[in-house]
Amino acid sequence: MNSENFTLSEKIVSASYIRQASEARRGHEQLIRHLLEQRKCPEEGWSEATIELFLNELAVMDSNNFLGNCGVGEREGRVVSNMVARRHYRLIHGIGRSGDIAAIQPKAAGSSLLNKLTNSLVLDILKMAGVRSVKSCFVVPMATGMGLTLCFLTLRQRRPKARYIILPRIDQKSCFKAMITAGFVPVVVENVLEGDELRTDVDAVERKICELGAESVLCVHSTTSCFAPRVPDRLEELATLCAKYDIPHIVNNAYGVQSSKCMHLIQQGGRVGRIDAFVQSLDKNFMLPVGGAVIAGFEEAFVQEISKTYPGRASASPSLDLLITLLTLGASGYKKLLSERKEIYVLLAEELKKLASAHGERLLHTPHNPISLAMSLDGLRADCDQAPTQLGAMLFTRQVSGARVVALGKEQSIGGHTFRGFMSHSESYPCPYINAAAAVGITRDDVALCVKRLDKCLKTLRKEAKPLQSSSPLPSPNSS
Amino acid sequence: MNSENFTLSEKIVSASYIRQASEARRGHEQLIRHLLEQRKCPEEGWSEATIELFLNELAVMDSNNFLGNCGVGEREGRVVSNMVARRHYRLIHGIGRSGDIAAIQPKAAGSSLLNKLTNSLVLDILKMAGVRSVKSCFVVPMATGMGLTLCFLTLRQRRPKARYIILPRIDQKSCFKAMITAGFVPVVVENVLEGDELRTDVDAVERKICELGAESVLCVHSTTSCFAPRVPDRLEELATLCAKYDIPHIVNNAYGVQSSKCMHLIQQGGRVGRIDAFVQSLDKNFMLPVGGAVIAGFEEAFVQEISKTYPGRASASPSLDLLITLLTLGASGYKKLLSERKEIYVLLAEELKKLASAHGERLLHTPHNPISLAMSLDGLRADCDQAPTQLGAMLFTRQVSGARVVALGKEQSIGGHTFRGFMSHSESYPCPYINAAAAVGITRDDVALCVKRLDKCLKTLRKEAKPLQSSSPLPSPNSS
Amino acid sequence: MNSENFTLSEKIVSASYIRQASEARRGHEQLIRHLLEQRKCPEEGWSEATIELFLNELAVMDSNNFLGNCGVGEREGRVVSNMVARRHYRLIHGIGRSGDIAAIQPKAAGSSLLNKLTNSLVLDILKMAGVRSVKSCFVVPMATGMGLTLCFLTLRQRRPKARYIILPRIDQKSCFKAMITAGFVPVVVENVLEGDELRTDVDAVERKICELGAESVLCVHSTTSCFAPRVPDRLEELATLCAKYDIPHIVNNAYGVQSSKCMHLIQQGGRVGRIDAFVQSLDKNFMLPVGGAVIAGFEEAFVQEISKTYPGRASASPSLDLLITLLTLGASGYKKLLSERKEIYVLLAEELKKLASAHGERLLHTPHNPISLAMSLDGLRADCDQAPTQLGAMLFTRQVSGARVVALGKEQSIGGHTFRGFMSHSESYPCPYINAAAAVGITRDDVALCVKRLDKCLKTLRKEAKPLQSSSPLPSPNSS
Amino acid sequence: MNSENFTLSEKIVSASYIRQASEARRGHEQLIRHLLEQRKCPEEGWSEATIELFLNELAVMDSNNFLGNCGVGEREGRVVSNMVARRHYRLIHGIGRSGDIAAIQPKAAGSSLLNKLTNSLVLDILKMAGVRSVKSCFVVPMATGMGLTLCFLTLRQRRPKARYIILPRIDQKSCFKAMITAGFVPVVVENVLEGDELRTDVDAVERKICELGAESVLCVHSTTSCFAPRVPDRLEELATLCAKYDIPHIVNNAYGVQSSKCMHLIQQGGRVGRIDAFVQSLDKNFMLPVGGAVIAGFEEAFVQEISKTYPGRASASPSLDLLITLLTLGASGYKKLLSERKEIYVLLAEELKKLASAHGERLLHTPHNPISLAMSLDGLRADCDQAPTQLGAMLFTRQVSGARVVALGKEQSIGGHTFRGFMSHSESYPCPYINAAAAVGITRDDVALCVKRLDKCLKTLRKEAKPLQSSSPLPSPNSS
């Protein structure tokens, strides 16, 4: 309501009440003003009422919501289903233009504002989460894998002769396909085993660069967040190498925003060496529906280049979800989530340690992995070959999701490349194991239930196993 | 409510009423059964109540909505904002898996079902709309341009030596960038002027193929829906050429589903020659928010290859919107929309013809373009050079959206290629003009308002122009 | 967004687009301004977007949505469930104050505005629907029956000696209980049979007044809308009587707003004689959820007296529903609904006439009843006593709702009064019959389906009946 | 989805995932089953997903949502606005029938179930909150005042000769009007001052009964929750008196459900003497929108009599809100809210005590009032007569809501009765004061902000006052 309408209201409801209401409305507007001025995530979260008010305001700025609009184009933001219109808060025009996913749209000032603000807010959050030197970023409505592909396609235009992408081994299909889809040949560099941890073999990477010739390497493609016992790549060393050989460096930071360690690695890599872009998932870091990523970098020009590589408009849905979520949480709310996650990570480690010891197994020692943990399953190996798979199925049936059982010796071919010991990031990891992660949003209940059910499954498996064996595989003292 | 709960309800509310209610519930379930059995768009649309019931049912099939679930993975479908959860009907897991955007997800049976059904329903609609022989299709959460890029990237793996894509000229940034982003060199073949129409120069395409060598051509990239006076490409001839030279053929059918002519062209092309895939926009054809496309083809294997090229999961948002929309409309509702569009296209043509004649202009004769129309602006040219631009601005201010004013002689460079006469699909179209389109969802009011406002603008421009001119540019009798 | 926020937005999105957006926002605000100025139902309906914007604006005017509010009262508009808050658009404070249901609330300027505006809008609609002289009205969150009770309780304070309420017979429980609950003795005056119609026996009413003594009569309680073959009371004559004897007159106009005839009767009654208040249902006339009524009158003072009789605050829910509905429809939309209803009434009459004739029955001739129709069921009577009841059950099972089968000779006691021939408004109506009504919102499909199913039921009943009878009840020529 | 549909789904998505989904769906159904079986508030709250699923299930049981329904009645649950339909979850038929607000409706099995269940759940909560012997209750869509009126109207039919209602003085308009609206003469019995507390003068009540004659007294109308320094009535003694003289006893327990003390008083009263009904507000006790009440009693027959007195159907809106809220909270959630309230009451008392002492005032000693507190404003009296009013206005402007400033000597006439010292429950309370209450839902922030702002206001008032006074009213040591 503008001031004129407030004045009219004074004739209907007593003036002093209306004045107070108008004053109170200003409170909501101040929040919006602050947001428009600062373009940062507000410290305190907003109420649903304020967020909806703001989204409604954005919606009426788009031409499809103009009362007097007449449309004779091929795309006019018309929506035939009311359910669809509502669930998008009537923001229909998406984001970007033909030339650039970050561009503003003449037909949709509100959606454009939403897009710009969301990108600003998430930039602020990336800084807060540890990459203080990040310069620019933007949301794309595609998951991490396709986001990486977009980075590689952008680099192609800069390095037309390059054919290879060097990947310190990570056993994850999407990021591998991301390179193949972009038309490049992934060159996998095996990790080294340090204690229980699998870590980047930096020397091998350098050797590979020399072997292939720097100009034929599109980029080094490193990874932070990953399943234990692999740990985040040695970003500082890799970034230094990339700077030395003038090779681009793209980091898959899939769910690393939630970990100060991962973010610190990127910040350091960017400081001492070269990181061209790092890509993170919206769903995994910000608890959104699957399907969005943030592409960020230390140099505005390159980030813009990527955004201009996206051909055409795109869905505003992930941006909208992110904006709602960041305004709901506020910076303080997000920080709180992150610190709770950290605490529960410690709890999960303790609980798994206890469980491991009770079953004659051990929690693998992977201090460099801040999110994922692994517990050995040596007992199962002794029992029976199918045991790990069976354990996986049992956990699935008991509604334990995300606990990933890794057997030994699996082979898998992806895009022509054969991975031996697939899923374990290593050709021959010493033992089978089970992963559990403490990702943002995890609760103490998740930990308690998971450990309890896992305990039951392990007991059941052992019982089933016994009759088949002459000597029962008692936990040996040296296994823990 | 299952039968047990209905029985319990009989103790609270009288049995005969509960029995009737249970009977009535079956009505909704029959609709769902029919959908699951037929996997076709139901003939009659569903009520919002049935659609919501169905979406709720899908949601409770996903693990994030299991009451007893505990999650220790890195992606558990947790959502921090209630507003976000609600607007996605609590379907959070997106679609696809690492390997394939069409794959089913163990954690999300409901989302997987949604994805599969939506793809089936839209396949049914594509058949109904005219491409009776289409074999397979899938929804991607990216707009047409990026959808085309995905097709080109898929073809690359089949044709590693190819470097060029042949494009019968179409002045539209996204589809041009789609080729460059995929890493290919677009080779533009100018159109020929037949009457007022700009049509495919099939001979020139063939010459270009021979010149470049078939094996170095990734594909021919043709277009159906486009702005008049360009008309849809001669798909039959191009498809025949592609078959002859064994070159893939990708069709940009951006907003062509809404036109039986465009769909017929594709059907014929596929029948007599070769079309590998055709890509269409969800927003433009089905009145959804921007950001989704359907990629379809005549051969299941190749369509699957494309879907497997997409690295990782993706947003379910466009699939959800499409499912809701198709269930709301039903096949009959969609057909009705299409036939209304056709009628209003005729109306728009008539109204523009009258307007043109009143202003000494003429409606360009472009009978092969079933959606877009163009009216000459010769008078403006005589007046003043800035006039077309000024007309565009005037229409924008008067909330006429989508009416596109095309001046002569504009040059534009995209990805290294310079287009002369940009926007007009021709190096030197004979006259400036203004476009208006009758796209699905257009109303008679849109036509009336647009023509009225355009009339006013033209009058205003003429008035302003007069004092500057000695002889006023009276409409000559032969111009109409 | 205020102008300051628009200015800030210009720094983020280009100024000309923001200016257009700000201009467009003014369009919505103009609608609101017009509403606040005129306080009439807008001629054209509003879009959902504008209505939601307006409701959001009202909500932020209520103290429970103030950002800086702190509450230490016993009622602070706190809501624990987000689902509840949302479905009420965060308007929590209800309407009215301790003293008066129409009073404004200091804590809730927005809810107060909503209440005042809704009352103004519905007053406008009552005028438009035919009671041009109505002076005042207000919405109460109770159905018609309780609304009548409130009127009677208000009159009690004016006429402390009165004990009786005179009711021209209408067989409807709620309105009968309304009098008993208010503590009065209903005095039923039987109707007279004129042709097929049951009409007010005005002379009998006058005799009853004289018999009881005017001062001991609280009021005459008349009825407009009712089931055929009863027809609306002779309001002019009753109103004249009431004026003559200085007796208040309360009209139950339950679903009469939808009929110009009922409204005309009230207008005439008010003009030539005395009508103190008339009460109408919100659900029946405006297609809202059950539970609201409008109490209206020709004298502002008495209407206020009623509103002041309501002790305490009340739910804003019916007012909110009504406001949304009237803004959605606009005056033109409501008029269109009413004229469609009229057309379908004619259709229903025709179809029932045909059906009646096919079954040897007749459509009762009740031209004074503009909504309800009755078809004789003489055939059933001949067949079997339970037949009418059985027909009712059959129709229920076949999902024909609202078709009311009236058998003869039923006796019912309500609050000490025994009705003979209950449901038929008459001690001995000549024949059993079935009612069907064309109420607002009815569709042609409703009519077609109802007639079809009724036809089937009647055929089935006849078949079942035949074996039991020696002579089949052939339709006699004089029965139609 | 029924089992047939799950089976069909197995052909689309892999069978094991569908089986797990079907298993998981059973989880939600078990919750519903448990609810239908126990008809008690579940111990743990339900998720929004389960609640919406349940409401959708209820909705499809109502005839307006039957797919094949055809309606020819005057009330068919049609809704013209989609916004309205949605916000009521498509439950349109309200609750009750002509004869009884608690009756089930043939057209609306779902709404009937909702109504019955809600009444059962709230009965369970009343027991849990302390009135263990309560037998029956029902929700009415009217606030406490009108709920009391309904009780009095019901009693009238039992006691036709009664004219008076005895009210231990409580200065609250609604409950006073409730008696007058019902047509009775309130007889106010002044309270006695015990320390700072105002308590029931039981002897005076007995004298009044004898004076008027028991048979001419409709009932005693007592109050639990009220503003300090009044405290809840001596229910045990009053109930004993009522039993002795065979007079009905109606208790206004407006916001007493939230206090175990108030509930205990009712339980004891019912045990040792006579309480016919007690009425409580939904909004105040359960944090719902204004407009609903629960009427409860120790005897099923009388409670049914009240529900049958309500003439006609009624809005289901408050029942729906209550059901959603109770299912959201669960019994444990509600208990938690109550215990938090108790804690914050203690905090508020402490904070006010400190504040009082800093300003030379004192917190009145009212240990029998478990919700409301009062702090003296002696200083203001000394300053200036308008000061209390001014303080009220200042607090309003500063968005402190619910803090009620009570000046001395105000006179107010309601329904013919003149209250001296209005608002203070006493003809001459010793000092002016300010009230603050710790009602359910209050937060620690509310307390902190209120005390801070009140402190500022008091300081400002003192400053303004000083120049006008020769001797500044220094806090005397004995005032605290």
Side-chain angles (χ1 to χ4, degrees), chain C residues 236-273:
Chain C
E236 262 185 72
E237 290 88 332
L238 289 175
T240 307
L241 266 190
C242 287
K244 179 174 166 194
Y245 291 97
D246 199 19
I247 292 177
H249 184 191
I250 304 292
V251 183
N252 176 1
N253 187 39
Y255 45 103
V257 181
Q258 64 191 281
S259 148
S260 53
K261 270 195 199 173
C262 293
M263 293 305 267
H264 181 71
L265 285 173
I266 294 172
Q267 169 67 10
Q268 284 304 97
R271 205 177 52 79
V272 306

Side-chain angles (χ1 to χ4, degrees), chain A residues 1-2 4-6 8-9 11-14 17-18 20-22 24-37 39 47-50 52-54 56-58 60-63 65-67 82 86 90 97 104-106 109-110 112-113 116-117, chain C residues 1-2 4-6 8-9 11-14 17-18 20-22 24-34 36-37 39 47-50 52-54 56-58 60-63 65-67 69 82 86 90 97 104-106 109-110 112-113 116-117:
Chain A
M1 303 245 289
N2 51 21
E4 193 181 18
N5 285 342
F6 274 118
L8 283 167
S9 300
K11 292 180 193 157
I12 307 175
V13 168
S14 82
Y17 303 162
I18 294 295
Q20 197 194 29
S22 147
R25 192 192 195 292
R26 209 161 301 152
H28 297 271
E29 271 166 2
Q30 293 292 79
L31 290 181
I32 295 174
R33 201 198 65 184
H34 200 257
L35 180 73
L36 293 171
E37 262 174 12
R39 299 174 212 172
S47 70
E48 239 185 71
T50 307
E52 287 197 347
L53 194 72
F54 183 49
N56 275 332
E57 293 282 2
L58 291 181
V60 295
M61 293 173 75
D62 278 8
S63 62
N65 297 311
F66 291 180
L67 294 174
N82 209 354
R86 263 181 280 128
R90 300 187 176 84
R97 293 189 73 177
I104 57 177
Q105 302 188 61
S112 301
L113 200 50
K116 291 280 183 192
L117 281 175
Chain C
M1 306 248 287
N2 50 22
E4 194 182 17
N5 285 343
F6 274 119
L8 283 167
S9 300
K11 291 180 196 158
I12 306 175
V13 168
S14 81
Y17 304 162
I18 294 295
Q20 196 194 30
S22 147
R25 195 193 193 290
R26 208 161 301 152
H28 297 270
E29 271 166 3
Q30 292 292 78
L31 289 181
I32 296 174
R33 199 197 69 182
H34 199 257
L36 293 170
E37 262 175 11
R39 300 175 213 170
S47 70
E48 238 185 70
T50 307
E52 288 197 346
L53 193 71
F54 182 48
N56 275 333
E57 292 282 3
L58 292 180
V60 295
M61 294 172 75
D62 278 8
S63 61
N65 297 312
F66 291 0
L67 294 174
N69 203 63
N82 209 353
R86 263 182 279 127
R90 300 187 177 83
R97 295 189 72 179
I104 57 177
Q105 301 188 62
S112 301
L113 202 50
K116 291 281 183 191
L117 281 174

Side-chain angles (χ1 to χ4, degrees), chain C residues 363-390:
Chain C
L363 181 68
L364 302 184
H365 185 62
T366 55
H368 287 95
N369 192 319
I371 298 170
S372 173
L373 294 157
M375 182 181 102
S376 72
L377 291 177
D378 274 304
L380 293 191
R381 178 165 50 173
D383 286 2
C384 157
D385 268 10
Q386 284 81 28
T389 320
Q390 203 182 335

Side-chain angles (χ1 to χ4, degrees), chain A residues 178-239:
Chain A
M179 299 179 282
I180 290 171
T181 293
F184 296 95
V185 179
V187 176
V188 176
V189 174
E190 289 291 324
N191 298 303
V192 289
L193 189 66
E194 299 186 6
D196 287 334
E197 293 185 337
L198 291 164
R199 306 199 66 183
T200 323
D201 188 340
V202 180
D203 291 344
V205 171
E206 184 161 20
R207 283 197 303 274
K208 196 53 86 179
I209 291 174
C210 298
E211 182 189 322
L212 299 167
E215 75 291 346
S216 75
V217 176
L218 185 83
C219 63
V220 170
H221 173 193
S222 64
T223 309
T224 57
S225 53
C226 59
F227 290 108
R230 193 194 190 283
V231 300
D233 276 321
R234 295 181 183 275
L235 285 205
E236 262 185 71
E237 290 89 331
L238 289 175

